[in-house]
Amino acid sequence: MVPKKKETANEKYPGGSGTSSLQDTAEKKPFRSPPVLPVMKGQTDGERILELRKHQTELETQAGELMLRALEYERKNRVLEEEIRQRKISDTLLKNTLSLLNASLESTADGIFVVDQQDKITSYNQNFVTMWNIPPVLLESGENERVMQYLLPQLRNAQGFLTRNKELKAHPEDESSDIIEFNDGKIFERYSKPQKIGENVVGRVWSFRNVTDRRLAEEAKIASEIRYRRLFETAQDGILILDADTGQIVEVNPFLIEMLGFSRDQFLGKKIWEIGLFKDIVANIDNFVELQHKEYIRYEDMPIETADGRRIAVEFLSNVYTVNNKKVIQCNIRDNTERKLAEEAQVASEIRYRRLFETAQDGILILDADTGQIVEVNPFLINMLGFSRDQFLGKKIWEIGLFKDIVANKDNFEELQRKEFIRYEDMPIETADGQRIAVEFVSSVYEVNNKKVIQCNIRNNTERKLAEEAQVASEIRYRRLFETAQDGILILDADTGQIVEVNPFLINMLGFSRDQFLGKKLWEIGLFKDIVANKDNFEELQRKEYIRYEDMPIETADGQRIAVEFLSNVYTVNNKKVIQCNIRDNTERKRAEEAQVASEIRYRRLFETAQDGILILDADTGQIVEVNPFLIEMLGFSRDQFLGKKIWEIGLFRDIVANKENFEELQRKEYVRYEDMPLETADGRRIAVEFLSNVYTVNNKKVIQCNIRNITERKKLEEDLVVKAAELARSNIELQQFAYIASHDLQEPLRAISGFTELLVKRYHGKIDEKADTYIDFITEGTTRMQQMIQDLLAYSRVQTQVHEFVLIDSNVSLDLALSDLQVAIKEHNAIITSDPLPSIFADREQITKMFQNLVGNAIKFNQPGVVPKVHISAKQDENNWIFSVSDNGIGISQEYADRIFKIFQRLHTRDEYPGTGIGLAICKRIAEQHGGTIWIESVPGSGSTFYFTIPKRKKETNYERE
Ligand code: ADP
């Protein structure tokens, strides 16, 4: 106890009388010592002796008094000593009491707080300070009011607390007890008693006890009891509670009643061994005693019989425990029948899951959910990723590089643990062989045998994506087919008969709009009235799954009646049955059929009247199925001698298809042509034929058509032609040789004539007479002309006899050479010569120069009088040839002479008009032909001519045969 006023204990001595006798005495009779006797002046000795005696008596009296007083003091002293001793004893007692009180106060678990009547704090213990957590400064002030102000805000019901305090102040004698609840949930019990001295109330003692834990425990206890009761009531085990002393059943739960089929009353109060049904378990009191002793008993699989005679297997489990100082035995009785079935089911399920795991078409990883270690991997994943089982097992998933995008580190794994379900679509991972594939990663957390595992399903999306794309592609393809089909198509809902789709071709065919079809039921559309005009017919359509109507007449929007073929199929699209109706306009087909017939008639006629022999063979068997009159006539055999025979059986074709192998070649090649096969006719004539075979299909049947043409005549003609051509060539060569030799040899005598004519002129000109001179002149001119003609003739034949090998030449160069030869003529006539760039060609350079020389020379020569000659040379090309042209503004030629001018020595004018021998163009023609080309003229008389000649583009070998 903390002393509040120190003096209280020392000064106010509660055990004492309160007054000191020593003090009192001293105050009552103050002691005075006798005065010293002074010597008085003038005093006699007697007087002095008298006075001394008197004084002595006084002193003696006084001594006696002092003796008495000393005795008195001595007595009083003894009393006082006794008093002090007593006081010391009681002081020690008091100290003991105080320390006991103090120790008691401090050792109690309660907080103690004392105030006096003036509301001043007189005492408190440390517990009080701790419990209330009051700052020491407040307590030291001694003001209860201040402490109160500090405490109130912590209380849940401050008002009630204050009210109670006031009541107690008004009734100082009252005792009280109440509960104080704190805002923070603490609960104190408060007791208060008046502090009394004797009958007087001097203050009040408060004591506080923290009962928070106890309260909570009590509440928990109640809750627990409720909970146990509820467990008992709702337990899915049968429960019996027995009095452990007597064995009587004191409680039975609903589940057991239900399980065994006995009523609650049939259990309660009975001793357990009295209940037959437990006879195998605790059938007698001895067994029960064992139960009492053992405190725990378990029987597995005990057979018992229910009220309705069913025998079930139960597990029996008993525990002894104490409830409210009373021992009870709790017996749990569990129907094992279900459990056993469940266990078997569990085993079956595990086998099933194991099989699923092994055969799954998804990759599966099982991870330990705590550590992240791979505990299982299925064959599919091993196969998918190409890593071995050992490369997975025991690894932590974030240690396996391939999952780096998914669970690459421990943090991600913790996310996996936490979320319990994660799905990544399209994660790229790399397989052992470096292939990058896209997977779907799905992870689920679940518990197996009280162990959390994470199952990761890894599905290769690559295939699925391809499949999806293929699906889309297929749909697009079918949609395109649908859109572009050359048949009308209707899609019906197979359940309702409603039209769900119609293709453009049908819309076009029938002339109704898309909206006139869609959503309608088929039998509501009048136009199909002959097909599925009513619901019954439609049901037939649904049932049969395939229906075909040929040649149904229907009417189009514009009133045309057409014949259609109607064909319906039932099939399933995305789990939905649909009916596809194909509607084909037969009108065309019929027309085609008719056309076919017409065509057959036509071909038959051709076949009958052909001027070629024709055989038709069955392409499979080789049998002759038809032969035409011309062939019969040509070969002289009868129709029956052909028909039905196999072609290799007919001797006469032995050189063509004499055996089966050759026929097979005929079948295979589909086109065979033999030229010039010798055949013998029925009357022994040998003829030559051309044999030509074609394979084709008629009405789904392959046939081989053999055309056999008699080429005997043609061959003979061809042979004659060859002979004649050879003769012609020979005579042509001879002629050329003759012309050359003749003109060459003719020059000799001519030279002799001209030589002598020159002598005549020299010696006799002007010496004989005038006539002789004239004759000599004629001879001179004649021989000169003759010489010129012979030279021309030689030049002409040389075009053929003196040809060079064709080489690539620049025709511009040839033209330039020609023009330089023509310089005199050009100057003389002031001619203007122009040209376009000319091509390079394969040709004889000298001959092309000669060609330009002749054509340009003529163009200048045959000018119109008074007109300046203008000549233009150019070239163009077509597919095969270069086409050169030389144009002039000369006199021109009438069309009728266009051929004649190219002949030798042919001219249109006299030598007086225009000089020349008429050989130039003949030479040009020969040069053009020599090069494989031609020459011609286009001209308008009086305004000019254009000569054209062609030179083939490709190099052509000369056909000249050198001698
Ligand atoms: P020549 O020039 O010696 O008479 P050609 O064979 O060169 O012999 O020509 C034959 C004839 O064709 C000429 O006589 C002439 O009548 C006619 N002829 C040739 N070239 C031309 C031309 N450019 N314009 C008009 N007539 C021509």
Side-chain angles (χ1 to χ4, degrees):
M1 179 160 197
V2 181
K4 195 68 212 104
K5 290 184 170 173
K6 285 190 176 108
E7 69 273 21
T8 314
N10 290 336
E11 288 174 12
K12 293 208 165 163
Y13 188 54
S17 59
T19 50
S20 161
S21 47
L22 186 65
Q23 237 177 349
D24 286 353
T25 315
E27 279 168 0
K28 227 187 281 172
K29 216 179 187 181
F31 179 79
R32 270 177 285 131
S33 54
V36 178
L37 198 62
V39 178
M40 311 279 283
K41 275 178 190 172
Q43 211 177 21
T44 64
D45 286 350
E47 280 173 348
R48 181 78 184 154
I49 289 165
L50 199 68
E51 200 177 346
L52 280 171
R53 273 194 187 156
K54 200 176 135 200
H55 191 62
Q56 190 180 358
T57 312
E58 261 178 37
L59 280 174
E60 278 168 4
T61 312
Q62 221 167 12
E65 267 175 21
L66 280 173
M67 272 305 257
L68 282 172
R69 202 176 272 199
L71 285 171
E72 172 78 354
Y73 277 132
E74 217 177 85
R75 191 191 57 79
K76 277 197 177 166
N77 229 11
R78 272 198 304 276
V79 170
L80 208 59
E81 271 172 5
E82 179 58 26
E83 209 167 272
I84 286 168
R85 203 178 59 82
Q86 286 295 335
R87 212 177 256 216
K88 269 185 178 163
I89 288 168
S90 67
D91 206 32
T92 309
L93 277 174
L94 191 69
K95 268 184 185 156
N96 273 346
T97 311
L98 267 176
S99 77
L100 191 67
L101 193 68
N102 228 6
S104 304
L105 272 173
E106 291 302 340
S107 65
T108 175
D110 294 345
I112 309 285
F113 180 65
V114 187
V115 290
D116 65 11
Q117 284 294 82
Q118 281 71 49
D119 218 15
K120 290 278 182 297
I121 299 164
T122 56
S123 188
Y124 52 89
N125 68 353
Q126 189 56 45
N127 263 346
F128 173 78
V129 181
T130 316
M131 281 168 73
W132 288 91
N133 193 22
I134 303 172
V137 65
L138 286 184
L139 289 165
E140 274 158 22
S141 75
E143 297 294 333
N144 187 29
E145 183 59 32
R146 285 182 67 185
V147 173
M148 223 34 87
Q149 288 311 314
Y150 174 76
L151 296 185
L152 283 173
Q154 302 180 33
L155 303 181
R156 205 171 269 177
N157 183 8
Q159 199 49 53
F161 181 86
L162 276 180
T163 313
R164 189 85 193 106
N165 282 6
K166 272 188 196 139
E167 280 168 15
L168 288 173
K169 203 162 258 176
H171 303 92
E173 300 274 353
D174 282 5
E175 291 187 9
S176 91
S177 83
D178 60 354
I179 299 287
I180 303 169
E181 291 183 5
F182 286 71
N183 292 329
D184 65 2
K186 266 188 304 188
I187 299 168
F188 287 181
E189 269 176 11
R190 178 171 72 161
Y191 296 97
S192 125
K193 266 192 155 180
Q195 183 192 3
K196 283 187 181 171
I197 296 177
E199 286 303 305
N200 293 330
V201 173
V202 293
R204 183 166 282 279
V205 179
W206 299 91
S207 89
F208 303 90
R209 179 167 296 171
N210 189 341
V211 294
T212 318
D213 290 345
R214 204 188 67 206
R215 276 294 185 98
L216 288 177
E218 276 169 10
E219 280 165 15
K221 181 146 194 279
I222 290 165
S224 152
E225 269 167 22
I226 290 170
R227 208 157 47 237
Y228 278 107
R229 167 56 60 182
R230 201 175 296 147
L231 276 177
F232 181 78
E233 298 292 348
T234 62
Q236 296 301 300
D237 271 7
I239 304 173
L240 275 182
I241 307 289
L242 312 181
D243 183 315
D245 298 326
T246 63
Q248 275 183 318
I249 295 169
V250 296
E251 197 51 281
V252 55
N253 78 337
F255 195 83
L256 191 66
I257 290 168
E258 170 78 27
M259 185 205 295
L260 301 178
F262 295 100
S263 77
R264 187 174 150 85
D265 290 340
Q266 285 178 299
F267 287 104
L268 291 192
K270 298 270 170 53
K271 293 188 174 152
I272 189 158
W273 58 89
E274 291 170 0
I275 296 185
L277 95 118
F278 296 118
K279 64 179 177 293
D280 294 320
I281 304 171
V282 279
N284 53 53
I285 201 170
D286 295 340
N287 282 8
F288 175 68
V289 171
E290 195 195 340
L291 201 68
Q292 282 178 311
H293 285 315
K294 281 201 182 163
E295 304 220 330
Y296 176 85
I297 280 184
R298 181 160 178 272
Y299 299 102
E300 217 176 314
D301 260 346
M302 297 301 298
I304 60 174
E305 214 178 284
T306 62
D308 57 5
R310 259 186 312 128
R311 288 197 71 82
I312 58 171
V314 300
E315 183 187 336
F316 182 95
L317 212 134
S318 82
N319 276 292
V320 178
Y321 56 88
T322 305
V323 176
N324 300 332
N325 292 321
K326 184 110 199 75
K327 265 199 171 177
V328 298
I329 302 177
Q330 175 178 328
C331 308
N332 283 37
I333 295 148
R334 180 173 294 171
D335 186 347
N336 270 352
T337 324
E338 280 298 301
R339 185 177 59 90
K340 285 183 132 187
L341 288 177
E343 276 173 13
E344 284 160 12
Q346 167 82 4
V347 170
S349 149
E350 267 167 25
I351 290 169
R352 210 159 45 241
Y353 277 106
R354 166 55 61 181
R355 202 173 300 144
L356 275 177
F357 181 80
E358 297 294 346
T359 63
Q361 296 302 301
D362 269 9
I364 304 176
L365 274 184
I366 307 290
L367 313 181
D368 183 314
D370 298 325
T371 64
Q373 275 182 318
I374 296 171
V375 294
E376 197 49 279
V377 53
N378 77 338
F380 195 84
L381 190 67
I382 289 168
N383 195 34
M384 183 203 297
L385 301 179
F387 294 100
S388 77
R389 188 174 147 83
D390 290 340
Q391 285 177 301
F392 286 104
L393 292 192
K395 297 270 171 51
K396 296 188 172 158
I397 189 161
W398 59 89
E399 292 171 359
I400 296 188
L402 92 120
F403 296 115
K404 65 178 174 295
D405 294 320
I406 305 171
V407 279
N409 54 49
K410 214 165 172 315
D411 296 342
N412 282 10
F413 174 68
E414 276 157 14
E415 194 194 340
L416 204 69
Q417 284 177 310
R418 234 183 8 261
K419 284 200 181 163
E420 306 224 328
F421 179 84
I422 279 185
R423 178 158 179 275
Y424 298 102
E425 219 175 314
D426 263 344
M427 297 302 303
I429 62 175
E430 213 177 290
T431 62
D433 57 4
Q435 241 187 297
R436 288 197 72 81
I437 58 172
V439 300
E440 184 187 334
F441 182 96
V442 178
S443 85
S444 291
V445 177
Y446 56 86
E447 246 176 62
V448 174
N449 300 332
N450 292 323
K451 184 109 200 74
K452 265 197 171 179
V453 297
I454 302 178
Q455 175 176 330
C456 308
N457 282 38
I458 295 149
R459 180 171 294 170
N460 188 341
N461 271 352
T462 321
E463 280 298 302
R464 183 178 60 90
K465 285 187 135 185
L466 288 177
E468 276 173 13
E469 281 162 13
Q471 168 79 7
V472 169
S474 151
E475 269 167 26
I476 289 170
R477 210 156 48 236
Y478 278 104
R479 166 56 62 182
R480 203 174 296 146
L481 276 177
F482 180 79
E483 298 292 348
T484 62
Q486 296 301 301
D487 271 8
I489 304 175
L490 275 182
I491 308 289
L492 312 182
D493 183 315
D495 299 325
T496 64
Q498 275 182 319
I499 296 171
V500 295
E501 198 49 281
V502 53
N503 79 337
F505 195 83
L506 191 68
I507 290 167
N508 196 35
M509 183 204 297
L510 300 179
F512 293 100
S513 78
R514 188 174 149 82
D515 289 341
Q516 285 177 301
F517 286 104
L518 292 192
K520 297 270 170 51
K521 294 186 174 158
L522 190 59
W523 57 89
E524 292 170 1
I525 297 188
L527 99 119
F528 295 114
K529 66 179 173 295
D530 294 320
I531 304 172
V532 279
N534 55 50
K535 214 166 176 309
D536 295 341
N537 281 8
F538 175 68
E539 276 158 15
E540 194 196 339
L541 201 69
Q542 283 177 309
R543 237 185 2 261
K544 284 201 181 164
E545 306 223 327
Y546 177 85
I547 280 185
R548 180 160 178 273
Y549 297 103
E550 218 177 315
D551 262 345
M552 298 300 303
I554 61 175
E555 214 177 287
T556 63
D558 57 4
Q560 243 187 293
R561 288 197 71 80
I562 59 172
V564 300
E565 182 188 336
F566 182 96
L567 212 133
S568 84
N569 275 293
V570 178
Y571 57 87
T572 303
V573 175
N574 299 332
N575 294 322
K576 185 110 200 73
K577 266 198 168 179
V578 298
I579 301 179
Q580 174 177 331
C581 306
N582 283 38
I583 294 148
R584 181 174 294 170
D585 187 348
N586 271 351
T587 323
E588 277 301 301
R589 187 176 57 90
K590 287 186 134 185
R591 209 167 288 154
E593 278 172 10
E594 285 164 16
Q596 168 81 3
V597 170
S599 151
E600 268 168 24
I601 291 169
R602 209 158 44 241
Y603 278 105
R604 167 57 60 183
R605 200 174 298 146
L606 276 177
F607 182 79
E608 298 293 349
T609 62
Q611 294 303 299
D612 272 2
I614 304 174
L615 273 183
I616 307 290
L617 312 182
D618 183 315
D620 298 323
T621 63
Q623 276 180 319
I624 296 170
V625 294
E626 198 51 282
V627 53
N628 78 337
F630 194 84
L631 193 67
I632 290 168
E633 170 76 27
M634 185 204 294
L635 301 179
F637 294 100
S638 77
R639 187 175 151 83
D640 289 341
Q641 285 179 300
F642 286 104
L643 291 192
K645 298 271 170 51
K646 294 186 172 158
I647 188 159
W648 59 89
E649 292 170 359
I650 296 185
L652 95 118
F653 296 117
R654 69 177 174 279
D655 293 322
I656 305 169
V657 278
N659 53 48
K660 210 162 180 310
E661 272 101 293
N662 281 7
F663 173 68
E664 277 158 14
E665 193 195 339
L666 207 67
Q667 284 177 307
R668 234 186 7 262
K669 283 200 180 163
E670 304 219 333
Y671 176 84
V672 165
R673 180 159 179 272
Y674 298 103
E675 221 177 312
D676 212 359
M677 298 301 303
L679 278 188
E680 215 177 285
T681 61
D683 56 3
R685 266 183 304 123
R686 290 197 68 84
I687 59 169
V689 300
E690 183 188 319
F691 181 97
L692 214 133
S693 85
N694 276 291
V695 178
Y696 56 88
T697 304
V698 175
N699 301 331
N700 293 322
K701 185 109 199 77
K702 266 196 168 178
V703 298
I704 302 178
Q705 174 178 329
C706 308
N707 284 35
I708 295 149
R709 180 172 294 170
N710 189 342
I711 55 167
T712 320
E713 280 296 301
R714 197 188 72 198
K715 253 185 93 184
K716 204 170 165 304
L717 284 176
E718 277 171 9
E719 280 164 9
D720 288 354
L721 213 62
V722 170
V723 170
K724 275 187 184 143
E727 274 170 10
L728 208 64
R730 198 173 54 243
S731 78
N732 209 21
I733 289 168
E734 276 171 5
L735 203 65
Q736 276 173 27
Q737 283 172 341
F738 166 76
Y740 182 78
I741 291 164
S743 45
H744 189 265
D745 289 358
L746 279 173
Q747 278 190 313
E748 274 309 303
L750 201 58
R751 260 200 288 275
I753 294 170
S754 73
F756 285 108
T757 311
E758 269 175 47
L759 281 178
L760 269 180
V761 170
K762 225 186 238 172
R763 222 179 260 187
Y764 301 107
H765 204 270
K767 290 187 180 158
I768 301 169
D769 57 20
E770 220 171 89
K771 269 196 175 156
D773 283 350
T774 307
Y775 296 156
I776 289 171
D777 285 348
F778 281 155
I779 293 168
T780 304
E781 193 215 22
T783 50
T784 306
R785 205 149 57 85
M786 182 98 166
Q787 266 177 332
Q788 185 63 52
M789 283 176 78
I790 288 171
Q791 271 166 21
D792 285 350
L793 212 55
L794 267 174
Y796 178 74
S797 66
R798 276 195 195 109
V799 173
Q800 235 162 5
T801 54
Q802 295 185 353
V803 72
H804 300 100
E805 204 185 331
F806 292 167
V807 292
L808 190 65
I809 60 156
D810 181 353
S811 48
N812 294 297
V813 174
S814 301
L815 176 65
D816 287 346
L817 286 173
L819 293 180
S820 76
D821 282 347
L822 290 168
Q823 242 171 9
V824 176
I826 293 169
K827 275 220 179 102
E828 191 184 316
H829 289 90
N830 294 317
I832 300 170
I833 317 289
T834 56
S835 68
D836 293 334
L838 303 178
S840 291
I841 51 174
F842 278 102
D844 180 322
R845 189 194 310 279
E846 280 175 19
Q847 290 188 354
I848 297 300
T849 305
K850 186 93 195 152
M851 174 85 90
F852 283 128
Q853 223 173 356
N854 284 338
L855 295 180
V856 177
N858 280 351
I860 296 168
K861 181 165 71 179
F862 295 104
N863 68 321
Q864 305 205 54
V867 177
V868 175
K870 285 183 182 164
V871 184
H872 185 74
I873 302 99
S874 81
K876 60 185 181 186
Q877 58 182 320
D878 66 14
E879 195 183 345
N880 299 312
N881 299 296
W882 282 108
I883 303 161
F884 290 84
S885 61
V886 179
S887 312
D888 62 47
N889 57 347
I891 55 174
I893 298 170
S894 168
Q895 189 59 35
E896 61 191 292
Y897 304 123
D899 283 337
R900 200 173 134 188
I901 54 169
F902 293 103
K903 289 191 174 136
I904 191 164
F905 298 142
Q906 297 292 331
R907 22 196 353 261
L908 304 178
H909 309 277
T910 62
R911 284 195 310 282
D912 299 337
E913 289 174 287
Y914 296 101
T917 56
I919 197 101
L921 288 181
I923 289 175
C924 286
K925 186 166 190 276
R926 207 161 235 208
I927 290 171
E929 283 168 357
Q930 196 71 29
H931 284 80
T934 54
I935 188 166
W936 68 97
I937 179 178
E938 285 172 9
S939 177
V940 177
S943 65
S945 314
T946 302
F947 283 85
Y948 294 95
F949 68 92
T950 64
I951 301 291
K953 279 180 182 170
R954 280 186 308 275
K955 179 178 177 178
K956 190 169 181 278
E957 290 301 322
T958 72
N959 59 5
Y960 163 66
E961 297 162 28
R962 277 168 202 273
E963 287 172 9

